[in-house]
Amino acid sequence: MTTGKSYGGSNIGAGETHVEAGPDVDVVAASAISAEETERLVTETTPDLSVFGPDVVAKAAEQMARYPESRSALLPMLHLVQSVEGYVSQAGIQFCAEQLGLSNAEVSAVATFYTMYKRKPCGEHLVSVCTNTLCAVLGGDAIYQRLQQHLGEGGQPLKHEDTSGTPGEPGSITLEHAECLAACDLGPVLQVNYEYYDNQTPESAVELVDALRRGEKPAPTRGAPLTSLRDVELQLAGFFPEDEATYRSHVDGPSAAVETLRGAQLAADRGWTAPTMPEKAPELPEVEKK
């Protein structure tokens, strides 16, 4: 099938655009994507939900009980799924749909919108390099490119959300570039499992990922002690140790940096204060009607 002439009578861009579907059309052969991916899309399969055992079902029920409407638990439930599998699989999509009484399409629409939900198996650690404007010009782009080369194999740099090593195995690392990690005063920054490592250089970033590969857990600049991505996902799902001492050991750590508080400290030293809010707000100006 051809498009004929385009606007203005030009033939540029005209030509065969698609194959008319019918009962005898080989969909796999006609597809523009790989045969393996096409086969996966057109083949009806029933995801295996056995990985989500009774303990996971109980946690999902606890999540739903926290909200007036059960569907409001979808975001934390997707994190629960990731704590089990290391990503949101098709089985994870169906699990959430069944628990919440939603369609697979409704769950997929959410899971594919937010970047924290991964659609490919992740490594033990997720390394996120800020490549937004300020971090980029301060060295974030150079850090990301250096890690791409350092973690790649066979001369091929690691791509966005690719994994060095076997996903889920100790020492495996998934690399991604991230949009603004909200630490411009400490850039360039990166995160490991969403914990901050500030004022990085290409050299320090390489040392960090090499330590992760060796099974070490270098202390973040700020935030809780480093753990695995799946453990963090369980925390994001809303589950922490009940014992207070254990809980504190999992979450306590340095918070605001000196750089972040410098403005507040300067104001305090100089006695600067913000004007007080008047008891009665001023009247809004009248808008002349036309």
Side-chain angles (χ1 to χ4, degrees):
M1 182 175 182
T2 60
T3 60
K5 291 183 181 298
S6 60
Y7 291 111
S10 170
N11 284 312
I12 296 176
E16 188 172 296
T17 57
H18 68 277
V19 176
E20 185 177 356
D24 299 325
V25 171
D26 187 341
V27 177
V28 175
S31 176
I33 58 179
S34 69
E36 293 79 9
E37 182 66 7
T38 303
E39 192 69 41
R40 185 185 70 80
L41 292 172
V42 302
T43 302
E44 291 188 12
T45 57
T46 302
D48 181 9
L49 304 186
S50 62
V51 66
F52 305 110
D55 59 326
V56 181
V57 174
K59 284 185 172 66
E62 185 177 335
Q63 288 177 319
M64 290 186 288
R66 297 170 182 169
Y67 301 91
E69 297 290 338
S70 62
R71 65 183 298 152
S72 298
L74 176 54
L75 295 179
M77 195 174 293
L78 286 167
H79 284 298
L80 177 63
V81 163
Q82 287 199 144
S83 75
V84 176
E85 294 192 290
Y87 75 118
V88 179
S89 67
Q90 196 57 38
I93 294 288
Q94 184 164 327
F95 173 79
C96 292
E98 290 184 0
Q99 299 299 312
L100 298 169
L102 301 174
S103 69
N104 283 12
E106 287 175 308
V107 177
S108 295
V110 174
T112 56
F113 182 84
Y114 295 102
T115 58
M116 288 179 76
Y117 302 124
K118 307 305 182 186
R119 299 314 308 275
K120 296 191 298 184
C122 289
E124 179 186 20
H125 300 294
L126 174 66
V127 175
S128 312
V129 182
C130 183
T131 55
N132 212 326
T133 307
L134 185 57
C135 276
V137 299
L138 290 174
D141 281 347
I143 291 171
Y144 182 64
Q145 292 166 7
R146 179 72 172 274
L147 291 182
Q148 282 184 295
Q149 296 292 338
H150 185 69
L151 294 172
E153 296 180 358
Q156 295 297 317
L158 215 60
K159 297 179 181 178
H160 175 64
E161 292 191 347
D162 276 355
T163 299
S164 173
T166 302
E169 293 296 317
S172 57
I173 294 174
T174 298
L175 178 67
E176 68 174 2
H177 60 82
E179 290 300 322
C180 193
L181 295 180
C184 299
D185 48 347
L186 297 161
V189 300
L190 61 81
Q191 290 180 336
V192 179
N193 307 332
Y194 306 118
E195 303 296 349
Y196 282 100
Y197 293 80
D198 303 317
N199 297 312
Q200 292 294 299
T201 65
E203 292 71 28
S204 65
V206 167
E207 292 176 3
L208 174 59
V209 297
D210 283 348
L212 297 174
R213 286 166 133 181
R214 294 192 298 266
E216 301 171 15
K217 290 183 171 59
T221 311
R222 293 173 289 126
L226 186 64
T227 184
S228 72
L229 177 61
R230 295 194 188 194
D231 288 338
V232 168
E233 289 296 329
L234 189 60
Q235 293 176 1
L236 291 172
F239 296 99
F240 296 88
E242 293 184 3
D243 175 71
E244 181 68 15
T246 306
Y247 166 75
R248 286 298 171 191
S249 71
H250 283 206
V251 301
D252 282 351
S255 181
V258 173
E259 293 88 342
T260 306
L261 299 176
R262 187 167 291 156
Q265 185 62 53
L266 181 64
D269 293 343
R270 299 187 179 185
W272 295 344
T273 59
T276 58
M277 178 70 70
E279 292 185 5
K280 183 179 180 181
E283 298 290 337
L284 294 174
E286 291 188 6
V287 178
E288 183 179 348
K289 296 181 180 180
K290 295 183 179 180

